[in-house]
Amino acid sequence: MSVVYARRRTAPTSPTTAARHRVAALGGAALLATAATLLTGTPAQAAPPAPVSAATARAYLGELTVKAEGSSDGYSRDKFPHWSTQSGTCNTREVVLKRDGTGVQQDASCAATSGTWKSPYDGGTWTAASDVDIDHVVPLSEAWKSGANGWTTPQRQGFANDLTRPQLVAVTDNVNQSKGDQDPAEWMPPAESYHCYYTRMWVDVKHHYKLTVDAEEKAALASVLNGC
């Protein structure tokens, strides 16, 4: 069970103190439920739209075009306008923070001022929004090299702000940074229990957007999905 930190940059509390904090915050029943969730490999608190089943993901993977990864020439994050306004003063990031957190409070500008976020990638739990990144499951650069370089800017904006597919998820910021633009042949979430779910998300998104996969990426995805 992960320790809850007010800020990640401080030293962790002792196991005894941390246990008291966890019990006070969640209660014994909630702790058991969280443990059961982690063991099944499904998200604990983060709740992007559920991906297709493992069987469907295997079928989708077989339908994806296998092609060597393209060049990053011309790529820029600015070509994927992200964190668009969704409603009122709320942009995509704030919508995901609210969706994926527990007890999230927002100010008049829709910025999250308090709440708790549990990162499914590593099990880390955070109480400051600044410790949480919104990960693009299929990174923007990866999408560019898999076919999005031929899209229009509005198409890339839709991809970068997609709330209807399992493409955006709130995770520990430095875990997201360690992922960068790597595909599943190069990087997988530290929590092995989440690998099946993550590959289902990845394939679901790539299939919907008709993005390509390279041979190593497909082999890594197939290896995980065959064990789901």
Side-chain angles (χ1 to χ4, degrees):
M1 192 60 60
S2 60
V3 177
V4 178
Y5 300 95
R7 291 188 62 80
R8 188 178 56 268
R9 296 163 185 83
T10 59
T13 55
S14 70
T16 300
T17 302
R20 287 199 298 267
H21 288 174
R22 290 197 297 272
V23 170
L26 299 174
L31 283 172
L32 292 174
T34 301
T37 298
L38 288 174
L39 288 173
T40 60
T42 55
Q45 291 182 5
V52 296
S53 67
T56 300
R58 286 190 288 269
Y60 279 4
L61 182 59
E63 296 171 6
L64 294 178
T65 298
V66 179
K67 184 178 180 181
E69 193 169 84
S71 170
S72 59
D73 290 350
Y75 168 73
S76 167
R77 286 180 66 85
D78 292 340
K79 293 185 177 180
F80 291 79
H82 49 291
W83 309 159
S84 303
T85 299
Q86 294 294 331
S87 64
T89 59
C90 298
N91 65 26
T92 307
R93 172 179 165 81
E94 299 301 346
V95 169
V96 176
L97 284 174
K98 177 74 171 180
R99 182 197 72 189
D100 290 5
T102 299
V104 178
Q105 299 296 314
Q106 298 171 305
D107 63 19
S109 65
C110 206
T113 57
S114 63
T116 301
W117 293 269
K118 186 173 183 65
S119 167
Y121 284 6
D122 62 327
T125 301
W126 314 111
T127 57
S130 59
D131 286 327
V132 179
D133 278 356
I134 308 304
D135 181 42
H136 289 94
V137 172
V138 176
L140 305 183
S141 175
E142 166 70 20
W144 177 270
K145 294 178 287 189
S146 303
N149 59 326
W151 295 352
T152 64
T153 297
Q155 286 175 315
R156 289 192 286 265
Q157 182 173 9
F159 175 83
N161 296 276
D162 190 350
L163 294 167
T164 64
R165 272 158 285 278
Q167 165 65 347
L168 299 172
V169 57
V171 300
T172 301
D173 57 359
N174 61 358
V175 173
N176 182 49
Q177 291 154 22
S178 74
K179 170 184 173 179
D181 64 355
Q182 298 178 92
D183 69 34
E186 304 161 315
W187 186 93
M188 289 289 284
E192 291 187 11
S193 61
Y194 200 71
H195 287 188
C196 181
Y197 203 87
Y198 182 78
T199 56
R200 288 161 53 199
M201 295 166 78
W202 184 282
V203 173
D204 195 349
V205 172
K206 279 220 162 179
H207 185 269
H208 176 81
Y209 285 99
K210 296 179 172 57
L211 295 170
T212 62
V213 290
D214 62 48
E216 293 80 7
E217 175 189 355
K218 181 176 182 178
L221 291 165
S223 177
V224 176
L225 288 173
N226 287 338
C228 290

